[in-house]
Amino acid sequence: MRIALAVAMLALALPAYAAGHAVQIKGMKFNPAKLNVAVGDTVTFTNADSKPHTATALDGSFDTGRLAMGKSATVRITASGKHDFRCLVHPSMKGTVAAK
Ligand SMILES: [Cu+2]
């Protein structure tokens, strides 16, 4: 009983664990193109195409910069809400990160 209480108090004292999400860029598409994350989570974008791509939030909340083939970049989502993103090289490539 005493141990259970100690474990419960320890769990409350620890900060929420930030999760990592992965998006692959292939065939001129983000996969997945829609993600649900928690504020504080990270998203790693990896470019598996031969063309360069970016993942750039329209609200400026994150930007991978230009990713060459095989390169990846990790961004942290620090604001809640829907963050639509595009590839700046190919504006038809779209995605959304929904954070809460
Ligand atoms: Cu692109």
Side-chain angles (χ1 to χ4, degrees):
M1 199 61 180
R2 182 175 288 193
I3 290 171
L5 183 62
V7 168
M9 289 175 72
L10 184 64
L12 287 173
L14 290 171
Y17 199 86
H21 306 265
V23 174
Q24 193 171 66
I25 310 171
K26 196 171 186 182
M28 301 284 287
K29 284 178 182 163
F30 296 105
N31 183 26
K34 294 191 175 174
L35 297 90
N36 291 304
V37 309
V39 171
D41 285 358
T42 57
V43 182
T44 299
F45 293 89
T46 300
N47 183 8
D49 264 344
S50 55
K51 296 178 170 72
H53 298 295
T54 79
T56 306
L58 300 184
D59 62 8
S61 60
F62 65 86
D63 187 2
T64 62
R66 201 177 170 99
L67 295 173
M69 180 182 175
K71 298 289 183 187
S72 62
T74 300
V75 299
R76 188 174 295 277
I77 309 302
T78 57
S80 62
K82 272 193 162 187
H83 307 291
D84 290 327
F85 61 91
R86 298 279 186 277
C87 171
L88 291 183
V89 187
H90 312 102
S92 64
M93 295 173 60
K94 300 174 182 179
T96 303
V97 174
K100 60 182 178 181

